[in-house]
Amino acid sequence: MAMWPEDEQHDTRIDAAIDEAARQMTSGAPGIDLRTRVLARIDERESSSRGWRLIWIASPIAAAALIFLIVVAGPFHGRDRGPETAALPPPARQGAEQRPAPIPMPPTAEKQTAQPPTLVGRKPDTTNEIQGVTRQIRNPARVAPSGIDALAPESLDVESIRLAALPPAESIRVAPLETIEPIDVAPLGIDIDDSQRREP
Amino acid sequence: MSTVCVTDADLVVRARQGDPAAFGELIDRHRSAVYRAALAALGSHADAEDAAQDAFLAAYRRLDSFRGDASFKTWLLTITWHQAINRRRSLTRMWRRMVEPKPAGEHVENVGLSPLEQVAAVGPTPEQAAANDQLRRGIQHTIRALSPKLRDALLLAQSGEYNYEEIGAMLDVPTGTIKWRVSEARKMIKKQLRERGYGDVA
């Protein structure tokens, strides 16, 4: 009778309920400050990308400057230190006003020369700047006292660690052996006695 | 400068030239559509807010690629849908879904009519209103249990914000497929409701 219309009505109501439920699941609005937040993030992103660009440009320049400083300043960094003063033999230490003893040369070249001392293993540098620094090292009295110099510890008087020359070693030549007299052996074919044959 | 009579295309041109106010105007015009699309995909208001932000940012970055073949709204909604789906697939969101008690739609107690308004407006008894409310919850639970393809098509179609062409562009399927999916979703929901005994609807 009224089955179809009732079914249709029921179906229509269900459809309406489904539509309403689905609509409610997507109802809502974003925050009022969505625009502000988005524009702020855009601005932040652009400024950070600018910053990164600067870093990309500046970092190679900074790295090159650092390498340059290391290469140029490196040789001057350790010149005033340790081995020159610690290795000086005690009799050569006269005082700060006199010239310091030259840097000990290898055993084969011990004699002191009038030439200015040079660092072992290095070729003399011809630049004016380096010569000026070597002059200062040779004549510490002319160097203006600095705070760092004041903090430098006193050099120690230590005995030289140079090894004395070894005494000549005994010859290791082998003495010739005594000559051995040749032993005459009789040739084979000669008859031998039975008594000699039985012996072990 | 007033932007009431300015088209989206003009605003896009200005935004490309670096005018932030022009892009801000585009945000205001399409914020609701973007947000509701994200909400349909994600089911969470917090996730939808984040996805909407990401969508506008992505659209800003890709402004140069907008050629004007489709409307700006359609182009923007396509980006929004991709952002929302990516977020849906993310592992962190899956973890959060395990932790969060209720997704969007369950909190609609304040969205619908109060019990008094329901009685005055609809006329049913409080018992009927409660039954309708229970039916609504049941339907929403069933919608969530649908496959993503059917659920997305149904929610987008019923949100009232998009036509079938726009939904087809977002989901990258033909319009006919969208209509079929919506119809199929309804059939499955009705079947589930009958099995659960939701017979009468006032």
Side-chain angles (χ1 to χ4, degrees):
Chain A
M1 274 183 10
M3 280 198 55
W4 281 103
E6 278 180 5
D7 284 345
E8 273 183 25
Q9 284 177 13
H10 179 76
D11 218 33
T12 305
R13 285 198 292 267
I14 289 285
D15 282 339
I18 291 172
D19 292 347
E20 180 59 23
R23 192 194 63 75
Q24 287 184 6
M25 287 175 75
T26 57
S27 66
I32 301 170
D33 58 344
L34 177 64
R35 170 181 175 155
T36 309
R37 278 184 276 132
V38 171
L39 293 178
R41 278 181 70 178
I42 289 172
D43 196 43
E44 180 187 325
R45 188 176 159 272
E46 285 181 346
S47 60
S48 72
S49 68
R50 262 182 259 127
W52 277 110
R53 247 179 270 137
L54 279 172
I55 289 171
W56 275 112
I57 294 168
S59 57
I61 298 172
L66 187 64
I67 292 168
F68 177 76
L69 281 172
I70 291 170
V71 167
V72 170
F76 309 119
H77 182 63
R79 280 201 178 177
D80 286 333
R81 291 191 185 173
E84 295 174 17
T85 54
L88 287 173
R93 288 239 349 117
Q94 303 279 337
E97 293 184 1
Q98 297 188 8
R99 284 186 170 195
I103 295 166
M105 305 295 284
T108 53
E110 294 180 8
K111 52 180 179 178
Q112 298 181 4
T113 61
Q115 294 175 2
T118 56
L119 294 174
V120 178
R122 290 182 186 247
K123 292 183 183 176
D125 201 320
T126 57
T127 59
N128 292 334
E129 197 176 274
I130 295 176
Q131 283 178 351
V133 173
T134 54
R135 269 185 235 116
Q136 286 184 1
I137 290 173
R138 273 185 279 122
N139 302 305
R142 295 185 190 174
V143 176
S146 67
I148 296 175
D149 290 340
L151 294 174
E154 292 180 0
S155 50
L156 301 171
D157 290 336
V158 293
E159 292 180 1
S160 171
I161 59 173
R162 204 183 324 150
L163 295 174
L166 292 170
E170 293 178 358
S171 175
I172 59 172
R173 282 180 62 186
V174 179
L177 295 170
E178 295 176 356
T179 54
I180 301 174
E181 291 180 0
I183 299 173
D184 293 329
V185 179
L188 290 175
I190 301 171
D191 291 334
I192 304 172
D193 288 346
D194 286 341
S195 61
Q196 290 180 355
R197 213 179 279 152
R198 282 195 208 103
E199 289 175 3
Chain B
M1 179 183 292
S2 171
T3 55
V4 174
C5 301
V6 179
T7 62
D8 284 352
D10 295 334
L11 289 172
V12 168
V13 169
R14 277 201 237 161
R16 277 180 187 155
Q17 291 165 356
D19 182 2
F23 193 73
E25 178 63 24
L26 288 169
I27 294 173
D28 286 340
R29 287 184 184 187
H30 302 291
R31 57 203 302 262
S32 180
V34 166
Y35 176 80
R36 295 181 77 174
L39 188 58
L42 296 166
S44 158
H45 290 285
D47 288 342
E49 281 266 2
D50 293 340
Q53 270 193 58
D54 294 343
F56 280 116
L57 281 171
Y60 181 80
R61 282 196 295 268
R62 299 178 207 174
L63 267 181
D64 290 336
S65 69
F66 174 65
R67 293 190 204 100
D69 301 335
S71 69
F72 178 77
K73 180 183 176 185
T74 303
W75 180 79
L76 178 61
L77 288 173
T78 307
I79 293 174
T80 303
W81 192 254
H82 288 159
Q83 291 286 332
I85 294 300
N86 287 341
R87 190 172 276 267
R88 186 159 83 180
R89 287 174 187 159
S90 71
L91 291 171
T92 51
R93 192 174 173 278
M94 279 163 58
W95 174 81
R96 216 192 296 172
R97 197 189 295 172
M98 288 192 294
V99 175
E100 277 182 1
K102 291 176 182 177
E106 293 277 346
H107 294 288
V108 291
E109 288 142 0
N110 297 329
V111 175
L113 297 173
S114 67
L116 192 62
E117 286 169 323
Q118 284 178 6
V119 170
V122 182
T125 62
E127 290 77 17
Q128 280 177 328
N132 288 343
D133 192 57
Q134 192 180 9
L135 174 64
R136 178 181 56 77
R137 290 175 189 272
I139 292 172
Q140 289 178 348
H141 178 81
T142 308
I143 290 173
R144 277 187 219 103
L146 290 173
S147 68
K149 287 184 181 175
L150 298 183
R151 181 181 65 238
D152 294 342
L154 178 68
L155 290 178
L156 290 171
Q158 297 314 311
S159 68
E161 285 272 358
Y162 324 103
N163 55 37
Y164 280 111
E165 285 72 28
E166 287 170 344
I167 298 172
M170 286 160 68
L171 303 186
D172 196 21
V173 293
T175 309
T177 305
I178 299 295
K179 292 178 181 175
W180 178 85
R181 288 183 184 177
V182 173
S183 170
E184 197 63 22
R186 287 177 193 279
K187 282 184 198 168
M188 294 193 65
I189 293 170
K190 288 176 194 174
K191 180 183 168 193
Q192 291 280 330
L193 290 176
R194 262 185 246 115
E195 286 173 5
R196 290 184 192 178
Y198 288 100
D200 286 327
V201 178

